[in-house]
Amino acid sequence: MVWERQQGQRGQGAQRFEGRSSEGAVRMVRRSQKRKLPKVTGLCRPEEGLRVKRSCPSCGPEPGGEEKKERGNPVSIQLFPPELVEHIISFLPVRDVVSLGQTCHYFHEVCDSEGVWRRICHRLSPRLREQGSGVQPWKRAAILNYTKGLYFQAFGGRRRCLSKSVAPVLAHGYRRFLPTKDHVFILDYTGTIFFLKNALVSSTLGQKRACCYVVLCHGAKDFASDPRGDTIYRKYLYVLATREQPGVVDTAHSQSCDCVEVYLQSSGQRVFKITFHHAMSFKQMVLVGLETQRTLLLLTEEGKIYSLVVNEAQLDQPHSYTGQLTLRKVSHDLPHLRVACMASNQGSTLYITDQGGVYFEVHTPGVYRDLFGTLEAFDPTYQQMPLPVSLPAKVLFCALGYNHLGLVDEFGRIFMQGSNRYGQLGTGDKMDRGEPTQVRYLQQRPVALWCGLNHSLVLSQCSDFSKELLGCGCGARGRLPGWPRGSASFVKLHIKVPLYASSLCPTRECLYMLSGHDIEHHPTYRDLPASRVVGTPKPSLGAEAAQDPEGVAAQACELYLGQIHSCPTLQECMETTKVIVGWMPLMATQEDFFWEALDMLQRAFGGVGQGPSTPDS
């Protein structure tokens, strides 16, 4: 027993000695770190601690710093080497990097540097060698590859959910896409077209998914197919590309020439090629007409339009022929116009100039009657005659359907024109419009606009930067998910929209949405002046109203709302509103409608008319 007790005491002493030796080793390591740290990094003095300050030093001194002097001053993040800070930040997700850059001035400069985005871009796309051009090429490339995606939702089936297709690893962002009968073609920002084979394959859950992809061609600028909305007609894919041509005799230099290559959409095989002179450079291409009289419209860098007629029935025949490239009438008769972009369908073409002007070309009398409501000015001998469309502001982009169209101006307002048989204009009725009519109740900023055969879609952005998809017109066959009977006004569709959705294209089977954000090319809208908020002119109120009738109308509406707000009871609010409706210059049918609606509300809330009005009422 004595021996065991002695052994236990020796063991306890050994443990105490080991504990003291370990504590001493820790103290020695800490002392050596404090001595070596100023020599190696120069981050702090020997009397300073190793604590890192949580808040950025550029935002001011930390509160209570004088009380903490006894424990040592904190280390500033600004004293770390910039390469180390950039290396650490580059491991954050892209959204976190953007959020961190909004905290203070120092992190804004660090998170906005090209070194951080170059590391992020290499992490997202290791095979990307060139960062492109622009003010911030690496940041743009990283965001393009982070936000790229192709989503689709099937119209049929029991389970309707949003799916994402296979993303090509080599794609540098998604610039444009075009669905055909069986496949989907995607153009990235480096000019590569990817061919998603068997893009729609039915699964057991009723969904659609993309199977595989291959590279169709390089050096592409634009592509187009049959302008009709039904993908069954898209047999060929026309690609506008740049190719290196061998030099002339006795010269070793090659020249870059633009050309149009035609591929079969079913197999991706090239069946036709048209090469232009090296002095002509194009940037956009659209198709007009039917198969036997297909017209290619080519837009040059100088804003001129050239046309070329192709017969698709002869494309698969093994012979060559020469086509004539002619200047379009809009560029021949109006040489001062500089066209910025084009849109087309099988019977008409729309041009938008660099100044925001809009010009039409209508080729068939039926489409002319649907768009303008009359055939008085239609001349079949001058089908290429450009028709100007007057709008109060500059137009940024447009959408052209078969018998109706949509325009978006610089203030984010949407104007619709044409046939409204199914309510596809979204004006709340089914009356045709022979001139652009504003859809006034839409408050969101439009991102993309699409016009089909008898329905329209608007991809809009809310105040919290979320996206919504609105639709109007015919809702048969699931065209408007959630609204099978259709709607004469734009309604929110039952579709989950991706956060970075930028364009859309519905087909007979499903709805495609392309995701991508380009920091250099996105629509920026201006704020609408206060004097132009009320678009309908009101009766003049003196000389001031003659100079600015819209501004006076806005002031009158504010006065009317003040009078309604000052009413103590709901009954008086109804009576005052009836009087104000009688003052406003409305049509007789509109006045009757408002009065009848107010009478119905008054009868429905008859028991609430006594006493002061509450916020709920």
Side-chain angles (χ1 to χ4, degrees):
M1 297 293 294
V2 176
W3 183 80
E4 291 178 358
R5 189 177 302 170
Q6 292 178 356
Q7 291 293 334
Q9 293 177 356
R10 293 177 182 177
Q12 293 177 1
Q15 291 178 0
R16 295 193 192 98
F17 178 76
E18 291 177 359
R20 292 175 183 175
S21 61
S22 60
E23 293 177 358
V26 172
R27 294 194 191 97
M28 293 177 62
V29 171
R30 290 179 178 175
R31 292 172 185 173
S32 61
Q33 288 179 351
K34 291 183 179 180
R35 295 191 186 99
K36 293 180 180 179
L37 189 60
K39 297 179 182 180
V40 178
T41 61
L43 295 178
C44 58
R45 295 186 298 273
E47 64 271 15
E48 292 179 340
L50 296 177
R51 292 176 290 107
V52 179
K53 192 173 183 180
R54 294 182 180 179
S55 60
C56 178
S58 62
C59 301
E62 184 182 3
E66 298 179 357
E67 300 177 358
K68 300 180 181 179
K69 285 185 178 180
E70 299 178 357
R71 293 179 291 176
N73 296 328
V75 178
S76 172
I77 193 66
Q78 287 181 323
L79 298 178
F80 284 91
E83 296 80 6
L84 179 61
V85 178
E86 294 178 358
H87 180 73
I88 295 174
I89 294 178
S90 64
F91 287 96
L92 296 175
V94 175
R95 297 185 63 179
D96 294 343
V97 174
V98 177
S99 301
L100 181 62
Q102 299 174 354
T103 56
C104 64
H105 180 70
Y106 171 74
F107 280 118
H108 174 73
E109 293 182 351
V110 174
C111 296
D112 202 47
S113 63
E114 284 294 280
V116 172
W117 292 106
R118 176 169 48 83
R119 291 182 173 90
I120 295 175
C121 189
H122 287 165
R123 175 166 55 87
L124 296 176
S125 302
R127 301 184 181 183
L128 183 63
R129 299 179 180 179
E130 298 180 359
Q131 71 275 20
S133 60
V135 180
Q136 293 179 314
W138 285 113
K139 181 178 181 179
R140 182 193 180 199
I143 293 178
L144 284 175
N145 288 276
Y146 175 75
T147 59
K148 68 180 180 181
L150 180 62
Y151 301 84
F152 51 91
Q153 176 173 326
F155 291 143
R158 295 182 179 179
R159 298 187 59 180
R160 298 180 181 179
C161 59
L162 192 68
S163 304
K164 187 176 182 180
S165 66
V166 175
V169 180
L170 301 177
H172 177 42
Y174 293 165
R175 181 181 172 188
R176 279 195 58 197
F177 79 104
L178 179 66
T180 59
K181 181 181 178 182
D182 304 316
H183 315 292
V184 176
F185 296 89
I186 297 178
L187 174 64
D188 70 349
Y189 282 83
T190 59
T192 303
I193 296 181
F194 294 89
F195 179 23
L196 274 66
K197 288 188 175 181
N198 300 324
L200 297 181
V201 178
S202 301
S203 63
T204 57
L205 299 178
Q207 303 174 1
K208 308 291 181 178
R209 58 187 178 87
C211 290
C212 60
Y213 66 90
V214 295
V215 176
L216 183 68
C217 63
H218 297 278
K221 294 183 177 181
D222 195 10
F223 59 83
S225 186
D226 193 290
R228 284 173 284 190
D230 197 346
T231 57
I232 196 173
Y233 298 108
R234 298 173 184 174
K235 180 180 179 182
Y236 296 99
L237 180 72
Y238 293 76
V239 178
L240 175 63
T242 301
R243 296 287 181 261
E244 293 290 336
Q245 300 296 332
V248 297
V249 183
D250 299 334
T251 60
H253 301 284
S254 60
Q255 295 178 341
S256 298
C257 300
D258 286 354
C259 63
V260 173
E261 299 175 345
V262 184
Y263 296 85
L264 282 173
Q265 70 87 24
S266 58
S267 61
Q269 179 185 0
R270 193 181 74 180
V271 297
F272 191 73
K273 182 179 180 180
I274 307 172
T275 304
F276 305 105
H277 193 267
H278 65 87
M280 304 190 69
S281 178
F282 303 99
K283 65 177 183 180
Q284 188 185 1
M285 174 183 60
V286 296
L287 304 182
V288 185
L290 300 178
E291 291 85 348
T292 56
Q293 289 292 327
R294 186 76 73 196
T295 302
L296 279 70
L297 299 182
L298 301 168
L299 175 61
T300 64
E301 298 289 346
E302 294 78 16
K304 302 299 181 181
I305 306 294
Y306 288 86
S307 62
L308 178 67
V309 179
V310 176
N311 187 1
E312 288 188 354
Q314 302 177 357
L315 291 180
D316 54 354
Q317 298 179 5
H319 67 85
S320 61
Y321 61 90
T322 303
Q324 184 178 3
L325 192 66
T326 59
L327 188 65
R328 201 67 173 177
K329 197 173 185 63
V330 63
S331 298
H332 182 270
D333 295 348
L334 304 173
H336 61 282
L337 292 181
R338 183 183 177 92
V339 180
C341 61
M342 304 180 295
S344 68
N345 59 21
Q346 65 268 33
S348 60
T349 311
L350 188 144
Y351 306 107
I352 298 179
T353 65
D354 57 348
Q355 300 298 325
V358 180
Y359 290 85
F360 263 129
E361 278 187 14
V362 184
H363 308 146
T364 58
V367 176
Y368 190 95
R369 183 178 57 252
D370 291 336
L371 290 176
F372 297 98
T374 180
L375 288 175
E376 294 180 358
F378 180 75
D379 190 354
T381 59
Y382 295 96
Q383 296 182 0
Q384 298 183 11
M385 180 63 66
L387 305 174
V389 178
S390 60
L391 284 174
K394 179 180 178 181
V395 176
L396 297 184
F397 59 94
C398 66
L400 185 59
Y402 176 70
N403 52 12
H404 74 288
L405 61 100
L407 304 170
V408 179
D409 69 352
E410 57 184 340
F411 300 110
R413 299 177 298 182
I414 297 178
F415 295 84
M416 306 295 290
Q417 178 181 348
S419 176
N420 199 20
R421 180 178 303 177
Y422 298 92
Q424 60 264 39
L425 300 185
T427 55
D429 53 30
K430 295 185 179 181
M431 299 174 57
D432 297 344
R433 300 296 196 278
E435 58 184 10
T437 303
Q438 181 183 353
V439 184
R440 301 187 181 278
Y441 58 88
L442 293 180
Q443 302 297 330
Q444 299 91 341
R445 295 297 177 90
V447 178
L449 180 63
W450 186 87
C451 295
L453 181 62
N454 49 26
H455 72 291
S456 304
L457 300 177
V458 174
L459 179 63
S460 61
Q461 178 174 300
C462 303
S463 57
D464 57 349
F465 299 101
S466 62
K467 302 292 179 60
E468 291 183 353
L469 186 61
L470 309 177
C472 65
C474 180
R477 297 182 180 179
R479 291 187 180 95
L480 303 179
W483 303 85
R485 297 184 179 181
S487 174
S489 303
F490 280 100
V491 292
K492 183 179 179 181
L493 305 182
H494 295 177
I495 292 179
K496 184 180 179 181
V497 182
L499 180 61
Y500 306 105
S502 58
S503 62
L504 70 158
C505 181
T507 63
R508 180 180 296 182
E509 296 180 343
C510 66
L511 171 67
Y512 289 92
M513 286 181 288
L514 188 70
S515 175
H517 180 72
D518 190 357
I519 61 176
E520 294 185 0
H521 300 89
H522 61 279
T524 55
Y525 298 111
R526 297 170 52 193
D527 293 331
L528 189 66
S531 60
R532 303 178 63 178
V533 173
V534 181
T536 304
K538 301 298 188 296
S540 61
L541 301 174
E544 182 182 359
Q547 296 177 0
D548 189 6
E550 296 181 354
V552 175
Q555 296 177 4
C557 289
E558 294 179 1
L559 180 62
Y560 297 155
L561 291 176
Q563 294 178 4
I564 297 174
H565 183 70
S566 61
C567 296
T569 62
L570 180 61
Q571 183 73 18
E572 295 184 9
C573 287
M574 293 289 185
E575 297 297 336
T576 306
T577 306
K578 288 183 180 180
V579 176
I580 292 175
V581 169
W583 293 344
M584 304 180 79
L586 303 175
M587 298 174 59
T589 55
Q590 294 174 343
E591 289 184 1
D592 296 340
F593 166 75
F594 281 117
W595 281 336
E596 185 65 26
L598 290 173
D599 289 337
M600 293 173 59
L601 292 175
Q602 188 173 359
R603 288 193 298 267
F605 297 95
V608 194
Q610 304 297 330
S613 60
T614 61
D616 295 338
S617 63

